[in-house]
Amino acid sequence: MATRAKRRRVAGPVGGDPDPVAAFLSWCRRVGLELSPKVAVSRQGTVAGYGMVARESVQPGELLFAVPRAALLSQHTCSIGGLLERERGALQSPSGWVPLLLALLHELQAPASPWSPYFALWPELGRLEHPMFWPEEERRRLLQGTGVPEAVEKDLANIRSEYYSIVLPFMEAHPDLFSPRVRSLELYRQLVAVVMAYSFQEPLEEEEDDKEPNSPLMVPAADILNHLANHNANLEYSPKLCWWGLAREGPSPSFSIPPQNCLRMVATQPIPKGHEIFNTYGQMANWQLIHMYGFVEPYPDNTDDTADIQMVTVREAALLGTKVEAERLLLFERWDFLCKLEMVGEEGAFVIGREEVLTEEELATTLKVLCMPAEEFREFKDQDGWGDDKREEESLTITNIPKLKASWRQLLRDSILLTLQTYATDLKSEQDVLSNKEVYTKLSWREQQALQVRYGQKMILHQLLELTS
């Protein structure tokens, strides 16, 4: 099966530079963003439109390119950065993205924006493949049970609210900076998708853990790289001075740019000549990839894939086992206590990976509390839990699931079965499609992507189901 799991990049606006890559590379040199001679921006040899390819073999630790902080596009570096800073209080929102989005809205329509060559390598905004741009019926039909439709609905509601309450009033208050053609909810939604898919967020320092997350920023060149779970490059945010130590043929012994604060893309694996260079967007399950980036990795390539069991589904499974009102009341008392312990929530989910339960403590505690005898629960509640008294037979690693108490395994099994019922199709029918290349290739691109999301989740759930039998 052909891998078609990366961002689908297309050329810039019609009528733009006939060679957008050459224009972009020229712009990079002007702003001090210089690529190693061992790499090239190309369409050839990449899985999805533009990407970066090794022109020579690259070894782990080699610097592929460095992006000076002055070349980053953010609310601070854009041409209206001063205004955005002065109005910072009025631009606060739950997403924290409004200042960057306003910067993009301004720069996109500015006649002489210094970022124009960078924008030319952006995807065509009208062809973004995020599920938020799919018709609602198609989104629900193809992605039912995956968690994506619910996430998209929240996004769309938040985008609309943010636009009409903050963004549009700001643009109308500054008509000299925002032409009427950019005052559009649809354009704003498209730019949200671009920021979702292409921006980066610098991690906080250890001593800053209690602060709000850093605002997103656009990192030219870094956002050209496509994603793989098994990536071979990584973006480093170290503020240390960067330098090149890359040997090159000819009389000059090295290739260098002036030392400066910058972000560095570094090889993490050997990259043979002609191979594509892949970054990672983080440990992303396929439902997150399609939701945020508009693509997936075909099964079984995404080693970070996960399946969710909604927390309320476990409560529902436990309720099915109650026979009288007193048992139901006790169950809700147990659930309320789990909420107090912050182990569960009405909108939370237990996350299961291929090789581990990512929410092991939460799921183990929930199974323990919901399954323990009534008297034991009273003692547990009186003592506000049992601290770190965790026995080996109650460990919720994947390999230990068959050793769990029978009551735990039964509740987990019932919860998995209820979760599988939320999908519109079963695993067998999807295996039949995936094993038939002729049938699979006739599916639309969206159908293929959605199938991979559903199939990966169901494979994890069925593996778990077997372990509980």
Side-chain angles (χ1 to χ4, degrees):
M1 185 186 304
T3 298
R4 193 179 177 186
K6 312 300 170 288
R7 297 176 294 182
R8 296 170 54 179
R9 286 183 168 273
V10 296
V14 175
D17 194 294
D19 187 353
V21 172
F24 172 71
L25 294 177
S26 176
W27 175 83
C28 286
R29 287 189 288 272
R30 290 199 303 273
V31 300
L33 194 170
E34 203 161 353
L35 277 62
S36 160
K38 291 189 175 184
V39 304
V41 177
S42 176
R43 287 180 178 276
Q44 301 298 317
T46 65
V47 298
Y50 294 122
M52 192 168 287
V53 177
R55 299 169 65 179
E56 303 175 32
S57 62
V58 175
Q59 298 305 312
E62 284 198 59
L63 184 61
L64 305 174
F65 58 85
V67 186
R69 288 186 177 273
L72 306 177
L73 174 48
S74 73
Q75 64 202 63
H76 305 295
T77 60
C78 69
S79 58
I80 59 169
L83 173 63
L84 295 175
E85 178 61 26
R86 289 193 299 274
E87 299 288 333
R88 180 174 54 180
L91 301 179
Q92 291 182 349
S93 69
S95 73
W97 293 8
V98 167
L100 175 59
L101 288 160
L102 284 167
L104 297 179
L105 284 165
H106 173 73
E107 297 295 341
L108 278 172
Q109 46 94 65
S113 173
W115 309 99
S116 294
Y118 165 57
F119 294 144
L121 291 194
W122 271 22
E124 190 175 322
L125 296 181
R127 295 183 58 187
L128 296 170
E129 279 291 358
H130 298 65
M132 72 166 70
F133 302 112
W134 301 9
E136 182 178 357
E137 181 279 328
E138 184 177 24
R139 184 168 62 237
R140 288 194 166 278
R141 173 170 49 85
L142 295 180
L143 293 167
Q144 178 181 325
T146 65
V148 175
E150 293 78 8
V152 169
E153 286 173 12
K154 288 181 181 178
D155 287 345
L156 294 175
N158 291 337
I159 290 168
R160 184 179 182 84
S161 172
E162 192 173 80
Y163 177 77
Y164 283 113
S165 65
I166 303 174
V167 176
L168 183 59
F170 183 86
M171 290 194 291
E172 290 176 339
H174 302 281
D176 54 322
L177 298 176
F178 299 93
S179 67
R181 67 186 179 89
V182 298
R183 298 178 212 166
S184 155
L185 175 60
E186 181 58 24
L187 175 60
Y188 187 71
R189 186 160 45 228
Q190 292 167 347
L191 288 179
V192 168
V194 168
V195 170
M196 192 182 285
Y198 293 90
S199 70
F200 292 77
Q201 200 162 23
E202 189 161 6
L204 294 169
E205 300 292 338
E206 286 186 12
E207 62 271 16
E208 299 176 330
D209 283 346
D210 56 340
K211 292 186 178 180
E212 290 292 316
N214 286 315
S215 300
L217 42 83
M218 309 305 292
V219 185
D223 57 12
I224 288 174
L225 272 64
N226 290 307
H227 163 94
L228 272 183
N230 184 26
H231 55 285
N232 52 24
N234 190 52
L235 186 65
E236 296 181 352
Y237 293 86
S238 171
K240 295 178 182 177
L241 298 180
C242 60
W243 52 274
W244 295 88
L246 299 167
R248 70 187 305 199
E249 294 179 2
S252 177
S254 65
F255 179 68
S256 63
I257 61 174
Q260 57 193 306
N261 285 349
C262 54
L263 278 60
R264 310 165 73 247
M265 188 66 72
V266 178
T268 58
Q269 296 184 34
I271 307 173
K273 178 181 178 179
H275 284 224
E276 184 168 2
I277 299 166
F278 292 100
N279 186 21
T280 173
Y281 306 157
Q283 291 181 307
M284 295 279 181
N286 268 347
W287 81 266
Q288 294 170 306
L289 287 176
I290 199 167
H291 170 223
M292 298 179 66
Y293 303 96
F295 71 87
V296 303
E297 290 194 66
Y299 187 86
D301 295 352
N302 188 357
T303 53
D304 295 322
D305 208 4
T306 63
D308 288 357
I309 298 174
Q310 296 301 312
M311 291 176 172
V312 292
T313 300
V314 179
R315 183 182 66 191
E316 182 183 349
L319 274 171
L320 293 175
T322 60
K323 298 180 177 61
V324 296
E325 184 64 18
E327 291 179 350
R328 285 189 283 274
L329 291 174
L330 179 58
L331 176 64
F332 280 111
E333 185 181 347
R334 296 172 192 248
W335 183 262
D336 290 342
F337 189 69
L338 286 167
C339 290
K340 178 185 172 184
L341 295 178
E342 297 185 346
M343 291 293 164
V344 298
E346 293 297 312
E347 296 186 359
F350 300 115
V351 185
I352 317 297
R354 288 196 192 171
E355 298 181 356
E356 62 178 328
V357 179
L358 278 68
T359 51
E360 180 184 353
E361 181 184 3
E362 293 84 351
L363 182 53
T365 304
T366 299
L367 294 174
K368 177 189 291 186
V369 170
L370 296 184
C371 293
M372 63 176 52
E375 290 183 8
E376 194 174 336
F377 170 66
R378 296 298 178 200
E379 180 184 352
F380 178 86
K381 186 176 180 182
D382 289 344
Q383 297 180 10
D384 271 345
W386 294 328
D388 296 326
D389 180 23
K390 184 177 180 181
R391 289 165 285 187
E392 177 62 28
E393 65 269 19
E394 294 176 350
S395 169
L396 206 62
T397 60
I398 294 291
T399 54
N400 201 52
I401 285 176
K403 305 173 189 175
L404 294 176
K405 295 177 181 177
S407 59
W408 289 37
R409 282 188 283 112
Q410 187 60 53
L411 179 54
L412 182 56
R413 182 177 184 80
D414 292 343
S415 302
I416 297 166
L417 291 170
L418 285 177
T419 299
L420 288 168
Q421 290 176 19
T422 64
Y423 297 92
T425 54
D426 59 24
L427 182 66
K428 175 64 167 60
S429 63
E430 295 184 343
Q431 285 174 328
D432 291 343
V433 174
L434 285 167
S435 62
N436 189 324
K437 186 175 181 180
E438 183 179 354
V439 173
Y440 182 79
T441 54
K442 287 181 180 178
L443 297 177
S444 69
W445 187 83
R446 290 176 181 175
E447 288 172 331
Q448 290 178 357
Q449 301 295 286
L451 173 58
Q452 295 288 350
V453 176
R454 299 192 309 264
Y455 185 72
Q457 291 183 353
K458 290 176 189 176
M459 285 295 288
I460 292 172
L461 291 171
H462 275 271
Q463 174 195 15
L464 206 60
L465 197 62
E466 290 178 10
L467 294 171
T468 62
S469 61

